[in-house]
Amino acid sequence: MDIPIIDFHTHTPAWDHASWLAGAAFTPADFTAFLDSAGIRAAVVLSHDGLFHATPEANDRLAEFVAADPDRMVGFGTVNARYPGAAEEMERCFGTLGIRGLKIHPWLQGVSMHEPSLDPIAEVVAAHGGSVLCHDGTPPYATATQIAAFARRHPTVPVVLGHAGLHDTWREAIAAVTETANLYICLCGVPPYAGRHIIDRCPPERVLFGSDAGLSDQVGQAYAVARAHEITRWGVDDTTLRRVLYDNPRDLLGGWPQ
Amino acid sequence: MTISGARVVDAHVRVGECREAALPLHTLLATMDRLGIDAALISPPERCIAYHNAEGNALTTGAAAASGGRLYAYAVANPWRGTDALAELDRARSAGAVALAVDPVLQGFDLHDGLLDPLLRKACDWRWPVYVRTGTPPTALPLPLASLARRHPDVTFIMGRSGATDFWIDAIPALRYAPNLLADTSYAPWDTVLSGFGADPSVGPERVVFSTDAPYTVPEVELERILDWPLPAADRARVLGENLTRLLP
Ligand SMILES: [Zn+2]
């Protein structure tokens, strides 16, 4: 059975910031070619430069990137809660740029999920019916239970654990998701045995899939293609897999893509 | 699948029943046949690494002895057991173990609290490679392992999982710091992490060993990734088996 995929965790290139990963440059056309090669129907594209330096320009460029094919890409922008005007910039992301959510990377951005400065930003997300996707799996700022505490402060905002706890905290991630009704879990970077266990244990409508595409030193995003192929070999039944790969993310994105 | 010319050795699998995954011996051998993996180093399951060490060593050494040379046994001994741990290693060695597997998270110690050092001195005397599982927990980070490795310069250490995932960023600094430390390929994309290992002048393919880390993974995906990695054939052969074979009897 060929299941369409909505990849809930991808990135644009880092245009303005070097990181420890080489990271090939790629265009929107390169990116949709990658989606085709991996059997991915549509993708949530997350800010990349904005994780290093959250400027309005980083959100502008993300919006421009996904606008190249709005049937296949939606953007999640970012703001840094410590910067003045962060809530206003979040408002501009939704109102002007057509952004659908907020990406937070607490350890890269140096912001704890308990900081009150995040709250007015989350209220903007709530007002626009958007979602928050947060890097997780890494102490000291990005553990699932810390992110769950933030989610409980904003119970109308869907909050996605962007990495399902990675290798060492996925059991904590399951606990957090099962006790927090608006917390979702994205299978991105977790080992296969943990992914299977998460699918067994978490509320079935709140499990998503992500490849973390965008960081490869190859334009074609080799690891992300391999990952999209790998999940079909985890031994998960097709009905469940279809929910994770397509139905759940589509519901969370309000029925997008059409 | 055939892998022309290269002897393929899987540097780390865990046989038996782990908490959320299991690898029966017959499944391991069937997978090795299917994928063209010639040999594998086998560790016992989690509970035997943490506590039931003797049972674990009997399992791995018994399987290795019955395998016609395809399986090599890791020995395990929780370092909290002190002299009992050393006696356990002696027994495992008599039964044919050829390497030591360490997991500071399952075994509940700190790489720098001194508990492991007597076991490492045995490994040094016996020329055993030592696999240490690394990752995000503070007691399992790559750089503390590198410091430990420098204190035991005659022991070759395998950095199990190479810090996957967020401490991949520390893997190359750890490898540069400790020349007796090897990288492990499991989980690592070739087009980000492995290409970094390959290109670093002080690391290179001669310090990378292939492992599937079964049963936590999809083993064919772990192998496919190494075959997809654009490498000269000689370097691929090193990663797939030659580097590790040099450490085995
Ligand atoms: Zn990411």
Side-chain angles (χ1 to χ4, degrees), chain B residues 31 38 42 48 52 60 65 72-73 75 81 85 96-98 102 110 120 126 137 146 199 237:
Chain B
T31 303
D38 298 290
I42 59 172
C48 294
H52 297 286
T60 57
Y72 294 92
R81 296 177 61 204
V98 299
V102 175
D110 186 308
L120 294 176
W126 299 337

Side-chain angles (χ1 to χ4, degrees), chain A:
Chain A
M1 177 166 135
D2 242 354
I3 300 168
I5 298 175
I6 298 173
D7 184 337
F8 217 88
H9 191 144
T10 73
H11 295 275
T12 70
W15 293 295
D16 298 326
H17 294 84
S19 85
W20 69 283
L21 294 169
F26 55 89
T27 64
D30 293 329
F31 192 77
T32 50
F34 143 68
L35 297 180
D36 289 338
S37 72
I40 299 172
R41 165 71 181 84
V44 173
V45 184
L46 308 169
S47 182
H48 196 168
D49 282 312
L51 306 180
F52 303 110
H53 187 34
T55 61
E57 293 71 33
N59 290 325
D60 290 342
R61 291 194 72 176
L62 166 70
E64 191 186 319
F65 187 90
V66 300
D69 195 343
D71 177 51
R72 302 195 70 186
M73 299 184 278
V74 290
F76 276 30
T78 196
V79 295
N80 188 309
R82 292 191 204 288
Y83 295 4
E88 290 75 9
E89 173 58 13
M90 196 75 250
E91 182 66 47
R92 190 183 75 93
C93 281
F94 281 103
T96 308
L97 299 183
I99 291 265
R100 300 287 300 274
L102 166 66
K103 162 75 188 252
I104 306 176
H105 199 307
W107 69 257
L108 274 182
Q109 297 182 313
V111 175
S112 157
M113 297 308 288
H114 307 313
E115 295 192 32
S117 57
L118 279 169
D119 294 336
I121 299 162
E123 282 158 24
V124 174
V125 177
H128 289 276
S131 304
V132 172
L133 183 143
C134 190
H135 177 93
D136 78 299
T138 323
Y141 275 176
T143 70
T145 44
Q146 291 167 339
I147 297 161
F150 166 84
R152 289 192 291 267
R153 295 208 305 279
H154 299 280
T156 66
V157 177
V159 177
V160 180
L161 299 175
H163 287 291
L166 294 171
H167 282 243
D168 297 299
T169 69
W170 58 268
R171 295 179 187 87
E172 171 190 340
I174 293 173
V177 169
T178 52
E179 66 197 19
T180 310
N182 57 323
L183 197 60
Y184 290 68
I185 186 163
C186 183
L187 302 171
C188 179
V190 272
Y193 82 109
R196 280 193 293 272
H197 208 68
I198 289 164
I199 289 170
D200 279 349
R201 294 292 178 88
C202 285
E205 69 284 2
R206 286 193 268 134
V207 183
L208 311 167
F209 166 76
S211 70
D212 221 352
L215 314 177
S216 173
D217 60 24
Q218 306 289 310
V219 171
Q221 308 298 320
Y223 69 82
V225 178
R227 185 71 170 175
H229 186 43
E230 185 195 74
I231 192 172
T232 65
R233 292 191 272 180
W234 284 7
V236 178
D237 70 85
D238 280 351
T239 310
T240 307
L241 205 53
R242 193 190 151 91
R243 291 184 85 156
V244 170
L245 294 179
Y246 193 74
D247 298 340
N248 293 344
R250 192 166 176 276
D251 287 348
L252 187 51
L253 293 166
W256 179 91
Q258 299 281 299

